[in-house]
Amino acid sequence: MENPSKIIEDDIEYSLGDFDGNRVLYDFDKISIYLNAKGKLLFGDQFRIYDEDKDIIHKLCYYFIKDQKNCQKYDIDPRKGILLSGPVGCGKTTLMTLLRHIIPTNRPYDIIPCRNVIFSFNHLGFKTVEDYGNTKSFCFDDLGIEPMGRFYGKDLNVMGEVLLSRYELFIQSKQRIKTHATTNLDADELEEHYGHRVRSRMRKLFNIIDFDESAGDKRK
């Protein structure tokens, strides 16, 4: 049996904790070492984990490793997806790109900028809504700041329709196919952009994890 507590990157083996033959006993110091190394591979040598982000990273780790005790403590439902919210440049997309690697056996999700969904709709029409309402897992990046879609002269709140489709998929599938997203907007702004019906569905689709409003722009 392979040891699920070990991950190999660039011929270097990283440990995430100890495997007792049935389950992994995760060690967050070891997870941090792995995430730092994987981050440098993905984003370059300038990548680092910031001390002020450790609470957010711990919550995301609890979610991805399905730590039931800590998920319950922080009101995180492992059956739902993640909506990671915070100011521009605080590292939301980076973390959602990075954290999906800590459990290699988990079903991966594609990270799709919402503006790309709109561009696709403008070209292909409602086939785009069908394509992103399928059984794959997605993380929609920069939710809520995308423009309206337009196809043959008709405007559509495309991401609103996609989210409704993803909600139907979520409640109908036995596997609870997940949807993730990142956003710069708060709950009121999302409701203003998508309407009450979509906002209501989002509550059932997502665990909301927020960066502090004072989180700095790491791209500077």
Side-chain angles (χ1 to χ4, degrees), residues 7 12 14-15 23-24 52 64 70-71 82 87 94 98 108 129 164 171 187 195 198 208 215 220:
I7 297 180
I12 298 173
Y14 295 91
S15 172
R23 63 193 182 100
V24 177
E52 60 264 31
F64 283 108
N70 280 301
C71 281
I82 293 289
T94 296
L98 180 61
V129 177
L164 290 174
I171 62 172
V198 174
I208 299 175
K220 293 182 178 178

Side-chain angles (χ1 to χ4, degrees), residues 138-192:
F138 293 104
C139 176
F140 295 109
D141 195 31
D142 278 340
L143 185 69
I145 63 171
E146 75 281 352
M148 294 285 284
R150 171 166 282 208
F151 186 69
Y152 280 94
K154 292 186 177 181
D155 290 337
L156 183 73
N157 190 325
V158 179
M159 284 307 306
E161 292 298 320
V162 169
L163 290 172
L164 290 174
S165 294
R166 298 296 301 182
Y167 170 75
E168 293 299 325
L169 178 70
F170 174 72
I171 62 172
Q172 291 173 8
S173 62
K174 292 181 180 179
Q175 298 85 5
R176 293 288 186 180
I177 294 169
K178 294 174 183 173
T179 305
H180 308 293
T182 71
T183 185
N184 303 333
L185 306 184
D186 62 26
D188 290 339
E189 291 169 323
L190 286 169
E191 183 163 340
E192 182 178 347

Side-chain angles (χ1 to χ4, degrees), residues 17-175:
D18 297 312
F19 182 53
D20 67 4
N22 293 310
R23 63 193 182 100
V24 177
L25 306 173
Y26 287 96
D27 181 318
F28 278 98
D29 288 335
K30 292 179 179 180
I31 290 176
S32 293
I33 291 170
Y34 168 69
L35 291 177
N36 212 29
K38 184 64 175 179
K40 290 184 185 301
L41 289 173
L42 291 172
F43 307 113
D45 289 339
Q46 78 282 359
F47 174 85
R48 67 185 178 93
I49 291 176
Y50 291 80
D51 287 342
E52 60 264 31
D53 293 344
K54 285 187 176 178
D55 285 346
I56 291 280
I57 292 171
H58 279 185
K59 289 178 183 177
L60 290 171
C61 285
Y62 297 145
Y63 171 80
F64 283 108
I65 68 176
K66 295 182 172 65
D67 182 328
Q68 293 185 356
K69 181 179 178 180
N70 280 301
C71 281
Q72 187 173 17
K73 177 180 177 181
Y74 291 102
D75 196 25
I76 296 169
D77 185 344
R79 296 171 298 178
K80 297 181 181 180
I82 293 289
L83 176 62
L84 189 57
S85 172
V88 173
C90 66
K92 301 180 296 296
T93 307
T94 296
L95 289 183
M96 290 304 290
T97 302
L98 180 61
L99 266 295
R100 62 183 172 173
H101 293 282
I102 64 171
I103 308 292
T105 56
N106 274 5
R107 187 176 188 180
Y109 52 84
D110 293 334
I111 297 180
I112 307 293
C114 289
R115 66 179 182 275
N116 289 12
V117 179
I118 308 308
F119 295 154
S120 176
F121 175 83
N122 293 346
H123 180 62
L124 298 172
F126 282 90
K127 182 179 184 299
T128 296
V129 177
E130 295 173 6
D131 288 345
Y132 288 108
N134 67 20
T135 56
K136 289 186 67 175
S137 292
F138 293 104
C139 176
F140 295 109
D141 195 31
D142 278 340
L143 185 69
I145 63 171
E146 75 281 352
M148 294 285 284
R150 171 166 282 208
F151 186 69
Y152 280 94
K154 292 186 177 181
D155 290 337
L156 183 73
N157 190 325
V158 179
M159 284 307 306
E161 292 298 320
V162 169
L163 290 172
L164 290 174
S165 294
R166 298 296 301 182
Y167 170 75
E168 293 299 325
L169 178 70
F170 174 72
I171 62 172
Q172 291 173 8
S173 62
K174 292 181 180 179
Q175 298 85 5

